[in-house]
């Protein structure tokens, strides 16, 4: 999809989306105004949030599909609401086979015109996303041409609105990179292939990529990571990505760590079939990290970021690790493995150690599809957070509010740390039936050095959707690329 911006009303498109607030239903065009008055009088269209009504009209001898979209009450309007609702109108336009679409700029004082343009663009581009490369019947579809236009776009602001649309397109692109990586099946996307894809993206977008194979990983002493991958015939890869956009501040480096299980069968603590069929998505953290790297490089943010993915597969075989095994780690801590399906934390333990020891980062954000318990606690809308630093948490919360990717912090009381103490090793990799998301996060905390600011994001519920949602097709969602981008962008402008 290509999104452009026009300052004047362009009448001659195949389709037109007009978004209206329930309390005002305000529109200048006399003809559409008359129609809206008629429809509201007859309770056919009231402008309620998410309401979509379409009809055809004739403009200068051509037939046009007009799609009216309700935005609800203006004072309740959020950027996320705009994205969700606009996606519904866009779906209608697709249904009507509109290939050339004008979207009237949403008019409200609640958000600056650039913020509106950015949110609208992100929604439109993401609504158009689908993963259909393996469908034999997939015929080349025409690219949809979209223009934002309307009287509220005045010429003096045209350039900044165009820039906001560009930013929106870039954000959507970063999110789509993450979605594509997740949606690729595990027979295709195994560690080596992931590493090659990342290398390619690094060349294309402008970040450096280093891939370490099994021997190098052994030399580094990453026993916990290597142990998880032992059951697979696919070699594990440690993927390191570096982007230095702020030369004046070379000491100031943010570390991102993404869980990169290209498949999680559970190992000998084998998953039941119904829980296994989506486990190609267990590299959702890695995918989001890669999408973020591409996005910040493309935007040229003045920040320094190093990202690490410990990519492997959790499988069964004669060489696989077993419940009861005691293993070491790069940090030296010994781990009693009581459940081989709690593998993500083992790979992350070594990945966060590596990034602190070898890449000298002072702050770390890890993102991981880590626990089914996150889905139980917060559902599929909200990412679970643990953090050892209030200020850092406030920053990521603010960033998430900017883009509508919801998150919520869980408590980290000492009682929870008791639950992962082991009788025969330093710690164990499960903490019992309760508070599973917290004990998993606190396991990783054991590998965070004193003085490192740390945020843990459990995206097990949010990185994947089983059913289509507005602007999120079934499959990988690309969460939390947008949040990480907003966080780093805020740093960049300082
Ligand atoms: N990758 C899974 C977590 C997961 C579950 C992600 C559902 C996405 C959707 C993780 O490796 C796992 O298996 N976790 C176990 C931990 C348990 C054994 C302590 C879980 O959640 O059951
Ligand atoms: Mn698992
Ligand atoms: Zn897993």
């Amino acid at each position: 999809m290509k999104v452009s911006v026009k300052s004047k009303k362009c009448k001659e498109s195949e389709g037109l989306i007009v978004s209206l607030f329930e309390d005002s239903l305000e529109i200048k065009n006399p003809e559409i105004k008359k129609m809206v008055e008629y429809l509201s009088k007859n309770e056919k269209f009231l402008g309620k949030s998410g309401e979509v009504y379409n009809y055809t009209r004739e403009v200068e001898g051509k037939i046009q599909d007009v799609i009216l979209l309700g935005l609800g009450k203006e004072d309740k309007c959020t950027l996320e609401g705009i994205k969700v609702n606009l996606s519904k109108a866009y779906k209608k336009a697709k249904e009507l086979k509109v290939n050339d679409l004008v979207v009237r700029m949403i008019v409200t004082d609640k958000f600056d015109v650039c913020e509106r343009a950015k949110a609208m663009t992100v929604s439109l581009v993401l609504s158009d996303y689908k993963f259909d490369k393996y469908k034999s019947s997939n015929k080349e579809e025409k690219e949809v041409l979209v223009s934002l236009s309307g009287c509220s776009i005045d010429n003096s602001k045209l350039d900044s609105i165009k820039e906001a649309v560009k930013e929106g397109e870039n954000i959507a692109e970063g999110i789509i990179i993450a979605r594509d990586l997740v949606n690729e099946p595990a027979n295709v996307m195994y560690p080596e292939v992931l590493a090659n894809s990342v290398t390619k993206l690094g060349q294309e977008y402008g970040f450096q990529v280093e891939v370490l194979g099994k021997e190098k990983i052994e030399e580094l002493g990453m026993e916990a990571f290597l142990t998880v991958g032992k059951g697979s015939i696919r070699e594990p890869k440690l993927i390191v990505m570096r982007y230095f956009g702020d030369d004046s501040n070379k000491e100031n480096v943010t570390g991102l760590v993404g869980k990169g299980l290209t498949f999680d069968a559970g190992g000998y603590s084998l998953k039941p079939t119904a829980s296994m069929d989506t486990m190609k998505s267990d590299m959702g953290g890695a995918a989001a990290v890669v999408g973020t790297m591409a996005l910040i490089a493309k935007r040229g943010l003045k920040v320094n970021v190093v990202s690490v993915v410990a990519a492997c597969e959790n499988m069964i075989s004669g060489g696989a690790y077993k419940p009861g095994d005691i293993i070491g780690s790069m940090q030296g801590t010994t781990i009693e493995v009581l459940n081989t399906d709690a593998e993500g934390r083992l790979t992350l333990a070594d990945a966060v150690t590596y990034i602190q020891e070898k890449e000298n980062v002072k702050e770390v954000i890890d993102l991981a599809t880590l626990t089914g318990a996150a889905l139980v606690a917060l559902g599929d809308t909200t990412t679970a957070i643990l953090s050892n630093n209030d200020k850092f948490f406030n920053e990521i919360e603010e960033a998430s509010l900017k883009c509508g990717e919801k998150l919520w912090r869980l408590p980290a009381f000492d009682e929870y740390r008791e639950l992962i103490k082991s009788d025969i090793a330093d710690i164990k990799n499960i903490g019992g039936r309760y508070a599973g998301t917290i004990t998993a996060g606190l396991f990783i905390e054991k590998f965070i050095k004193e003085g490192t600011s740390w945020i843990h994001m459990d995206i097990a519920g949010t990185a994947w959707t089983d059913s289509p949602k507005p602007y999120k097709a079934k499959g990988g969602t690309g969460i939390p690329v947008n949040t990480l981008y907003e966080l780093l962008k805020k740093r960049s402008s300082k």
Side-chain angles (χ1 to χ4, degrees):
M1 178 190 287
K2 186 85 205 78
V3 182
S4 59
V5 188
K6 307 241 160 64
S7 62
K8 48 180 194 296
K9 300 160 270 179
C10 18
K11 288 182 179 168
E12 281 175 38
S13 63
E14 266 180 65
L16 172 69
I17 294 178
V18 178
S19 315
L20 298 167
F21 287 106
E22 185 180 346
D23 22 20
S24 65
L25 292 175
E26 230 168 81
I27 170 100
K28 276 205 184 120
N29 180 301
E31 197 196 310
I32 300 178
K33 188 184 165 86
K34 205 171 144 195
M35 185 69 174
V36 169
E37 274 166 11
Y38 160 79
L39 291 170
S40 70
K41 204 156 65 202
N42 291 283
E43 296 193 18
K44 290 173 196 263
F45 177 80
L46 298 167
K48 295 223 182 291
S49 180
E51 205 183 343
V52 174
Y53 185 97
N54 71 291
Y55 66 97
T56 52
R57 65 165 182 163
E58 202 182 310
V59 196
E60 284 158 12
K62 283 190 189 143
I63 302 293
Q64 182 182 56
D65 286 301
V66 180
I67 299 162
L68 301 176
L69 171 67
L71 294 173
K73 297 235 157 59
E74 188 171 356
D75 64 342
K76 290 229 177 82
C77 171
T78 61
L79 291 171
E80 173 66 2
I82 286 176
K83 287 198 274 182
V84 165
N85 284 329
L86 188 56
S87 180
K88 293 177 183 162
Y90 182 72
K91 211 175 132 217
K92 177 56 80 180
K94 284 292 269 192
E95 241 173 73
L96 296 168
K97 302 200 167 58
V98 172
N99 289 311
D100 161 28
L101 180 68
V102 168
V103 181
R104 179 181 169 264
M105 190 67 196
I106 290 172
V107 188
T108 173
D109 292 332
K110 277 205 75 176
F111 303 102
D112 167 73
V113 64
C114 290
E115 273 183 299
R116 279 176 270 148
K118 175 175 154 186
M120 289 170 75
T121 305
V122 170
S123 169
L124 289 164
V125 180
L126 291 181
S127 299
D128 205 38
Y129 174 79
K130 54 183 177 313
F131 185 78
D132 60 358
K133 64 189 270 201
Y134 293 103
K135 273 208 165 289
S136 316
S137 64
N138 119 23
K139 37 183 171 12
E140 277 293 311
E141 257 188 52
K142 261 207 237 161
E143 191 182 27
V144 185
L145 298 173
V146 177
S147 10
L148 297 186
S149 89
C151 329
S152 76
I153 297 184
D154 64 71
N155 272 319
S156 65
K157 285 203 175 137
L158 198 57
D159 284 342
S160 49
I161 296 171
K162 281 184 176 160
E163 175 46 40
V165 165
K166 187 91 227 126
E167 187 187 10
E169 284 182 321
N170 293 157
I171 291 169
E173 194 177 327
I175 292 171
I176 286 171
I177 288 172
R179 288 184 180 183
D180 278 340
L181 290 171
V182 169
N183 290 336
E184 204 59 67
N187 61 319
V188 176
M189 185 59 66
Y190 47 89
E192 187 186 344
V193 177
L194 178 61
N196 291 340
S197 311
V198 176
T199 303
K200 254 211 189 129
L201 287 164
Q203 283 159 359
E204 191 183 335
Y205 286 85
F207 58 91
Q208 193 226 326
V209 181
E210 187 185 353
V211 179
L212 310 188
K214 194 169 167 228
E215 266 178 37
K216 288 271 163 48
I217 301 169
E218 272 165 2
E219 273 169 38
L220 284 163
M222 303 178 85
E223 189 182 334
F225 168 33
L226 283 170
T227 298
V228 173
K230 273 199 319 179
S232 170
I233 58 163
R234 305 295 186 186
E235 197 194 331
K237 300 283 179 190
L238 186 74
I239 308 168
V240 184
M241 295 153 261
R242 303 184 184 91
Y243 171 77
F244 283 82
D246 186 8
D247 276 337
S248 63
N249 227 336
K250 278 227 151 89
E251 294 303 293
N252 203 347
V253 185
T254 302
L256 302 179
V257 174
K259 175 174 171 181
L261 266 289
T262 56
F263 190 71
D264 177 14
Y268 276 98
S269 310
L270 192 65
K271 285 184 185 297
T273 310
S275 317
M276 207 192 287
D277 62 5
T278 55
M279 279 304 133
K280 67 174 185 182
S281 70
D282 213 15
M283 33 63 78
V289 159
V290 176
T292 304
M293 291 303 282
L295 172 53
I296 62 174
K298 178 129 192 176
R299 298 295 301 166
L301 294 193
K302 288 198 177 57
V303 290
N304 301 321
V305 182
V306 174
S307 294
V308 169
V309 169
C312 65
E313 273 189 332
N314 189 21
M315 305 291 278
I316 41 177
S317 86
Y321 73 142
K322 303 165 292 294
D325 286 358
I326 297 177
I327 61 174
S329 62
M330 183 177 179
Q331 188 203 53
T333 301
T334 58
I335 304 161
E336 183 187 9
V337 176
L338 289 172
N339 189 319
T340 61
D341 198 12
E343 84 298 337
R345 65 198 75 182
L346 302 174
T347 65
L348 290 163
D350 279 348
V352 300
T353 303
Y354 171 88
I355 206 168
Q356 293 170 100
E357 296 286 333
K358 303 290 179 191
E359 306 290 336
N360 280 318
V361 303
K362 301 283 179 293
E363 58 178 16
V364 174
I365 303 174
D366 78 77
L367 15 163
T369 48
L370 203 61
T371 63
L375 203 49
V376 174
L378 300 174
D380 66 1
T381 52
T382 308
T383 295
I385 307 284
L386 269 94
S387 178
N388 65 359
N389 185 311
D390 294 346
K391 210 174 137 236
F392 200 17
F393 170 73
N394 290 342
E395 274 184 84
I396 200 150
E397 187 176 46
E398 193 188 313
S400 85
L401 290 169
K402 274 219 153 105
C403 63
E405 291 178 343
K406 295 179 176 66
L407 49 79
W408 201 259
R409 188 179 184 181
L410 298 176
F413 302 125
D414 269 338
E415 285 84 345
Y416 297 117
R417 291 187 184 87
E418 294 293 319
L419 300 174
I420 49 172
K421 284 189 174 156
S422 162
D423 298 329
I424 54 174
D426 297 333
I427 44 172
K428 55 184 179 185
N429 78 332
I430 49 170
R433 223 166 106 69
Y434 304 123
T437 302
I438 299 174
T439 51
L442 292 178
F443 182 97
I444 297 165
E445 185 200 53
K446 290 270 182 214
F447 299 85
I448 298 296
K449 291 205 279 196
E450 189 128 353
T452 302
S453 304
W454 167 69
I455 290 172
H456 164 64
M457 308 182 86
D458 192 331
I459 55 171
T462 51
W464 177 270
T465 177
D466 282 324
S467 57
K469 306 254 169 67
Y471 79 85
K472 292 184 185 102
K474 178 178 169 176
T477 62
I479 281 175
V481 170
N482 208 341
T483 300
L484 295 174
Y485 169 72
E486 296 298 342
L487 175 85
L488 293 164
K489 182 186 163 190
K490 184 94 192 279
R491 295 278 174 85
S492 172
S493 47
K494 265 182 199 162

